[in-house]
Amino acid sequence: KQKAIQEGLKQALATGYSILESGGSSLDAIEAAIMILEDNINFNAGKGSVYNSAEKQEMDASIMVGDSQQAGAVASVSRIKNPIKLARYVMENTKHVMMVGEGAEKIAKEGGFELVNPDYFASIENLERLKVTQEKEKLGTVGAVALDQSGTISAGTSTGGMTNKKPGRIGDSPIIGAGTWADSTVAVSCTGVGEAYIRTCAAHEISTRLRLGQDLKVACAEMLDMVAPLGGRGGVI
Ligand code: GLY
């Protein structure tokens, strides 16, 4: 399992990196990398999304471009094969930043996205995980950040959320400033118990600390120290 996860990460990195090497944008690179992880059953996003307490998948994703601070997000979608792609579509084709549920899926249809049958996300392993879970449990949200040759940085995050979450629960991943952030200085993607990341505006906190002159490593460590007491064990890219 660990080997399969490492292989998936390597494939995502290689794909994103080859886009950057050939002069592509950081936005294209992170989207491509995240789509690879969404299509891999070993990650909690897209195909591998965990089940909520009603034995369904509700997925969240967001994307942000540093220089322009353009952002897009979708939350609680259950028929979108690649939620990160729809987050980008919301950013580039609507006046809005975040779309949820049926409204997001309607936009997807208008944009020519193929809606998949919820069976596409079925996984015995994830169903088993739901059955043994007594309380909310986390299984690796996916995220990517990239810097392209023009100097633009982008960030994206995609997740099935927490096993056994209540239907309708939305975590930090689609919330700009909580799970994802990018500006001209830093691109951030968070993973962990989303409620704590929302309550601390965790991704944006790193940007604020850098603006005030803090070192990047210290800013990341101190952000995680702020999140931890609220139950937010996790990490950040
Ligand atoms: N960080 C992902 C979530 O809480 O849904």
Side-chain angles (χ1 to χ4, degrees):
K1 178 89 175 172
Q2 195 175 351
K3 208 167 164 224
I5 288 172
Q6 281 168 351
E7 277 309 312
L9 290 172
K10 271 191 204 158
Q11 201 192 342
L13 265 175
T15 303
Y17 211 78
S18 72
I19 291 173
L20 296 171
E21 276 180 328
S22 60
S25 70
S26 55
L27 184 64
D28 284 344
I30 60 152
E31 182 191 41
I34 291 175
M35 280 173 65
I36 283 175
L37 301 175
E38 287 178 334
D39 291 342
N40 184 327
I41 190 107
N42 292 302
F43 296 91
N44 177 17
K47 186 156 180 58
S49 291
V50 295
Y51 285 88
N52 67 14
S53 61
E55 297 192 7
K56 293 197 172 125
Q57 283 90 358
E58 290 179 338
M59 291 156 273
D60 305 329
S62 66
I63 202 160
M64 188 166 189
V65 185
D67 282 346
S68 59
Q69 285 182 234
Q70 269 186 297
V74 292
S76 226
V77 292
S78 51
R79 298 182 57 204
I80 306 297
K81 182 170 174 277
N82 292 106
I84 195 72
K85 208 170 155 189
L86 186 56
R88 180 173 178 171
Y89 183 84
V90 169
M91 174 176 86
E92 291 180 333
N93 295 283
T94 77
K95 291 182 188 157
H96 309 309
V97 169
M98 186 190 263
M99 305 280 306
V100 305
E102 282 177 18
E105 289 175 0
K106 188 161 178 280
I107 289 279
K109 272 195 216 151
E110 286 166 13
F113 283 68
E114 179 199 353
L115 298 194
V116 294
N117 189 302
D119 286 355
Y120 170 78
F121 304 103
S123 149
I124 292 180
E125 191 178 332
N126 281 339
L127 199 55
E128 201 53 41
R129 188 171 271 123
L130 172 66
K131 296 208 163 119
V132 299
T133 298
Q134 299 300 313
E135 55 187 51
K136 287 187 294 184
E137 184 204 300
K138 187 72 188 53
L139 173 77
T141 289
V142 308
V145 301
L147 165 66
D148 62 33
Q149 292 181 32
S150 77
T152 300
I153 45 182
S154 300
T157 311
S158 183
T159 191
M162 319 272 296
T163 294
N164 203 28
K165 66 184 181 181
K166 285 193 195 305
R169 177 267 188 191
I170 293 170
D172 60 315
S173 303
I175 299 180
I176 298 299
T180 302
W181 180 259
D183 55 29
S184 55
T185 309
V186 69
V188 183
S189 174
C190 298
T191 180
V193 179
E195 283 71 6
Y197 284 77
I198 294 171
R199 289 164 63 199
T200 50
C201 285
H204 188 262
E205 175 70 19
I206 291 180
S207 164
T208 303
R209 287 170 178 269
L210 293 186
R211 189 159 14 97
L212 297 177
Q214 203 169 49
D215 168 76
L216 178 61
K217 276 191 185 167
V218 176
C220 292
E222 291 193 0
M223 179 278 272
L224 292 173
D225 286 346
M226 282 172 66
V227 167
L230 306 184
R233 77 198 145 80
V236 60
I237 304 172

